[in-house]
């Protein structure tokens, strides 16, 4: 039955399985490359919305990210493109909200505390979290409030500047 499904002779089954597994692994790598490129393209567009106060750039945005790991990768990309800044990113992952905030060393010196920013934003989404002045993350339950949470995070960043 397995040989018929794989369209090979019985003795060729192990080789065919190895070949299919290798092809699957390569397809997964290709998907990851496309996701990374999609994230970079989306973030490039988002950086057009950056505002500035007291020499520090700041913004907030909702980005496509299926989980917290993807959201943190997106945040790392933004941090590299915003060397003197602070930002909050959010994503809806199924029925869950993920939030990440990061601030440069210069932004922290001006009074930014991303733990406080992200914690306040998460409360709007019915969640919680926090972190350090430079990096914080949180989760929430109410995805319909995600934009309001991001807007509140940006408002708090601006008030801390």
């Amino acid at each position: 039955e397995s040989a018929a499904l794989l369209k090979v002779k019985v003795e060729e089954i192990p080789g065919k399985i190895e070949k299919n597994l290798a092809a699957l692994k390569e397809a997964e790598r290709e998907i990851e490359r496309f996701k990374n490129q999609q994230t970079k393209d989306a973030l490039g567009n988002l950086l057009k919305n950056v505002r500035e106060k007291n020499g520090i750039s700041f913004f907030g945005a909702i980005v496509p990210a299926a989980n917290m790991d993807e959201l943190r990768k997106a945040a790392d990309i933004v941090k590299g493109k915003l060397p003197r800044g602070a930002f909050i990113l959010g994503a809806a992952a199924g029925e869950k909200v993920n939030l990440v905030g990061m601030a440069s060393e210069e932004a922290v010196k001006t009074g930014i505390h991303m733990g406080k920013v992200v914690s306040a934003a998460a409360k709007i989404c019915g969640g919680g979290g926090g972190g350090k002045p430079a990096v914080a993350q949180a989760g929430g339950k109410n995805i319909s409030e995600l934009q309001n949470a991001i807007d509140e995070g940006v408002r708090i960043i601006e008030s801390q500047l």
Side-chain angles (χ1 to χ4, degrees), residues 96-113:
K96 187 178 169 188
V97 170
N98 290 320
L99 298 167
V100 169
M102 290 188 176
S104 68
E105 186 177 321
E106 293 86 355
V108 171
K109 286 178 183 173
T110 67
I112 294 292
H113 193 297

Side-chain angles (χ1 to χ4, degrees), residues 3-161:
L5 285 171
L6 293 169
K7 298 179 181 154
V8 295
K9 297 176 186 169
V10 172
E11 61 272 8
E12 296 172 342
I13 291 174
K16 183 68 171 184
I17 290 173
E18 285 177 12
K19 183 178 176 184
N20 286 350
L21 288 174
L24 177 62
K25 197 171 251 180
E26 178 56 34
E28 288 171 343
R29 281 193 291 269
E30 188 68 16
I31 288 169
E32 190 62 30
R33 283 193 290 273
F34 283 132
K35 279 184 181 179
N36 288 340
Q37 187 59 48
Q38 179 185 24
T39 299
K40 285 179 183 176
D41 292 346
L43 293 175
N45 291 332
L46 292 174
L47 290 173
K48 295 175 185 170
N49 298 324
V50 171
R51 296 172 16 205
E52 189 175 308
K53 183 176 177 184
N54 298 329
I56 301 296
S57 301
F58 67 98
F59 81 106
I62 297 172
V63 297
N67 54 48
M68 185 59 84
D69 286 341
E70 287 185 16
L71 186 59
R72 285 186 63 88
K73 285 180 187 176
D76 287 337
I77 292 168
V78 171
K79 189 174 181 182
K81 294 181 182 247
L82 204 66
R84 290 182 49 85
F87 59 90
I88 182 169
L89 299 180
E95 297 298 313
K96 187 178 169 188
V97 170
N98 290 320
L99 298 167
V100 169
M102 290 188 176
S104 68
E105 186 177 321
E106 293 86 355
V108 171
K109 286 178 183 173
T110 67
I112 294 292
H113 193 297
M114 292 312 297
K116 293 175 183 177
V117 172
V118 168
S119 178
K123 286 178 185 166
I124 292 173
C125 295
K132 298 178 181 178
V135 181
Q137 68 182 44
K141 300 172 190 164
N142 190 349
I143 61 173
S144 66
E145 291 294 321
L146 179 55
Q147 185 62 57
N148 290 333
I150 295 295
D151 293 344
E152 177 66 4
V154 171
R155 189 193 65 70
I156 295 169
I157 291 170
E158 186 172 22
S159 73
Q160 289 180 351
L161 288 172

